Amino acid sequence: MRTRWLFADGEWRTGASTGTIAVDDPATGERVGECPRGCAEDVETAVRSARAAAPGWARTAPAGRGALLRRAAARVREHAGELARLVTAEMGKPLADARGGVEAGAGTLEQYAELGPLHGARSLQGGWGATDLMVREPRGVVGVITPWNDPAAIACGLIGAALATGNTVVHKPSERTPHTGARLVELLAEDLPPGVLTMVAGDRSAGAPLAAHPGLHLLAHVGSTAAGREIAAAARCRVLRENGGKDPLIVDAGTDPKQAAEQAALGCFANAGQICVSVERIYVHRSVAEPFTTCLVAAAEALRMGPGLDEATTLGPLVDRRQRETVHGHVRAAVAAGARLLTGGRIPGGPGAFYPATVLADCTDDMAVLREETFGPVAAVRVVESFDEALALANTGEYGLAATVLTPSLAHAQRAWRELRAGTVKVNAVFGGAPGGAAQPLGASGEGFGYGPELLDEMTHTKVVHLAAL
């Protein structure tokens, strides 16, 4: 069992924090391990180490930084099975999905290893006797606070972009997946100079002092909206945030109900609904509502609920029983307010934090399942009379992360991507897209570019240089 959780100056240390957090397997309830709560003293040690390493790392040639990132990506791939098992043990994701997240993280590291050396600026057209440039420089020390639902992929993206552009990093992984975070840091830091990548473990006892630390030059956070707002309020530097969503799915008239239900089931139930861009509310045209709902119930009931290490599992547990209570509370309140429970919606007996794929019909706009982020395997369905009504309802609420429309109409598809207020709009597929996408979330869902080449811009600041001859 790991006993040292503070990584600074290239080595693991025993931190100053005395409190501990238990980490239990959400499928079995068995103890995976414990990590410290973290404290301001641990944060100070990590930031001091990163600040000391920052000048030397900034002077390292971009190609040299890229070469080290490629080696780190190779190690992540080599240990993908080990990392995936840690993810499954700590947050319950089925093993194949967990490995997919690790592989995606390695791919992102490779992407930034290539893009980093190419990330430049431009020359300006000034007078003949002078040279004018706009150059990109690293910001300095970047704090990276990552969530539990896809811990390897998200951490690799933010850490990779920061390192590729010459920043040093202080990473705080989620207290729900600390073993994954610590092992990932070990793999990434193996060839890096001491202090370039540091880590502090813990919950908000570590996160709060990190967010407010005056030694950071940028803070990147992926997680809940509530936490994101606290971090933004406390930070003394620029903040990048990808936070919660209440992503709508529109099922238009003329859409094949079986295909639409398959997409809806994927969007609602993948990773037990614990994805930032999960489908959280469905607006289906009345003309296809009945067959669509029937097919969606069948898709939900076809999922096999079980532990993530079982290859037959297609629906793992929620991350813990606290999250299960939140999800079940939304379902219970919706049924009490008149929604029809078509399948699921009952807490199973036995160990763990399992919750079945659930379909609710006759949902209304005042229900939490259509307003607040549920973050669980719940499909909340509302029937609409027209595409106009669906668009209007999809644009309600404070979030603006992503939205999906399923339609055979090119005209409706065109209207959807233009009119839906979301950082990402998907037509006829709930997931997917070319690599390198860098959407900006809207409203309560966050701010700033996440991922893609534009993330390199966020990790740097622009300096204008005027060189004139005397």
Side-chain angles (χ1 to χ4, degrees):
M1 183 178 294
R2 178 178 294 276
T3 58
R4 296 184 177 186
W5 288 93
L6 174 61
F7 189 70
D9 299 321
E11 63 181 13
W12 290 102
R13 303 178 179 181
T14 301
S17 174
T18 56
T20 60
I21 302 167
V23 182
D24 296 332
D25 186 326
T28 65
E30 296 176 356
R31 185 60 44 88
V32 175
E34 294 180 341
C35 79
R37 290 198 174 277
C39 61
E41 186 176 340
D42 292 348
V43 169
E44 181 62 36
T45 299
V47 173
R48 189 186 306 120
S49 176
R51 285 181 69 89
W57 184 243
R59 287 193 295 267
T60 301
R65 297 195 296 256
L68 292 178
L69 280 180
R70 279 190 290 274
R71 287 161 67 175
R75 275 193 300 277
V76 170
R77 289 194 188 281
E78 180 183 352
H79 294 271
E82 174 193 357
L83 286 168
R85 286 189 293 275
L86 283 173
V87 172
T88 297
E90 291 191 301
M91 62 77 57
K93 187 192 294 269
L95 189 59
D97 291 347
R99 187 175 183 113
V102 175
E103 295 285 355
T108 304
L109 290 171
E110 291 165 344
Q111 171 184 281
Y112 288 129
E114 297 299 320
L115 291 176
L118 303 178
H119 184 245
R122 58 191 175 91
S123 61
L124 303 172
Q125 299 302 315
W128 184 261
T131 300
D132 292 274
L133 305 170
M134 293 176 65
V135 297
R136 291 280 187 177
E137 293 187 334
R139 291 184 180 270
V141 179
V142 176
V144 173
I145 300 177
T146 54
W148 48 264
N149 60 324
D150 202 353
I154 294 171
C156 283
L158 295 174
I159 294 172
L163 295 179
T165 46
N167 300 283
T168 57
V169 173
V170 180
H171 180 215
K172 192 203 84 67
S174 169
E175 67 275 16
R176 286 166 161 167
T177 52
H179 297 84
T180 304
R183 184 61 178 130
L184 182 64
V185 163
E186 283 180 336
L187 295 170
L188 298 181
E190 188 169 313
D191 293 316
L192 296 176
V196 169
L197 176 59
T198 64
M199 190 197 100
V200 59
D203 56 12
R204 70 183 317 276
S205 295
L210 178 60
H213 200 288
L216 297 185
H217 301 94
L218 179 73
L219 183 59
H221 170 254
V222 177
S224 73
T225 296
R229 285 172 171 160
E230 286 186 25
I231 285 168
R236 305 188 192 184
C237 60
R238 174 164 172 73
V239 178
L240 299 180
R241 294 187 296 121
E242 183 186 290
N243 295 152
K246 192 66 183 174
D247 294 358
L249 168 66
I250 295 173
V251 181
D252 197 10
T255 305
D256 181 275
K258 185 174 185 298
Q259 291 180 348
E262 291 170 353
Q263 286 293 309
L266 178 62
C268 292
F269 306 138
N271 198 25
Q274 301 171 123
I275 305 174
C276 57
V277 291
S278 290
V279 170
E280 291 247 344
R281 48 191 172 127
I282 300 171
Y283 301 107
V284 57
H285 194 278
R286 184 172 297 280
S287 63
V288 294
E290 185 175 347
F292 164 80
T293 305
T294 299
C295 292
L296 181 56
V297 169
E301 293 177 346
L303 294 173
R304 186 181 186 280
M305 192 163 56
L309 291 176
D310 185 341
E311 292 184 359
T313 292
T314 50
L315 181 67
L318 294 169
V319 66
D320 57 27
R321 292 195 172 194
R322 181 179 62 181
Q323 180 62 23
R324 184 170 72 177
E325 283 303 313
T326 298
V327 173
H328 189 55
H330 280 199
V331 172
R332 191 169 53 240
V335 172
R340 286 188 296 128
L341 180 63
L342 302 183
T343 190
R346 294 176 177 83
I347 294 178
F354 292 98
Y355 198 78
T358 299
V359 180
L360 294 168
D362 298 340
C363 295
T364 57
D365 301 330
D366 58 339
M367 295 176 180
V369 288
L370 287 185
R371 292 185 294 103
E372 302 172 14
E373 188 173 38
T374 303
F375 223 58
V378 178
V381 182
R382 187 194 190 287
V383 175
V384 296
E385 304 297 335
S386 68
F387 189 69
D388 286 344
E389 182 186 9
L391 282 179
L393 290 170
N395 277 332
T396 58
E398 62 177 341
Y399 297 103
L401 192 56
T404 304
V405 59
L406 306 178
T407 179
S409 167
L410 181 58
H412 284 182
Q414 184 79 359
R415 281 191 61 196
W417 76 258
R418 288 194 181 277
E419 296 180 27
L420 286 170
R421 293 194 296 270
T424 299
V425 176
K426 297 161 283 186
V427 178
N428 291 335
V430 293
F431 296 136
Q440 292 178 294
L442 302 177
S445 292
E447 58 183 315
F449 280 108
Y451 315 106
E454 287 78 6
L455 182 55
L456 300 179
D457 293 343
E458 299 280 12
M459 294 289 178
T460 55
H461 67 85
T462 302
K463 179 182 289 184
V464 175
V465 180
H466 175 71
L467 296 174
L470 290 176

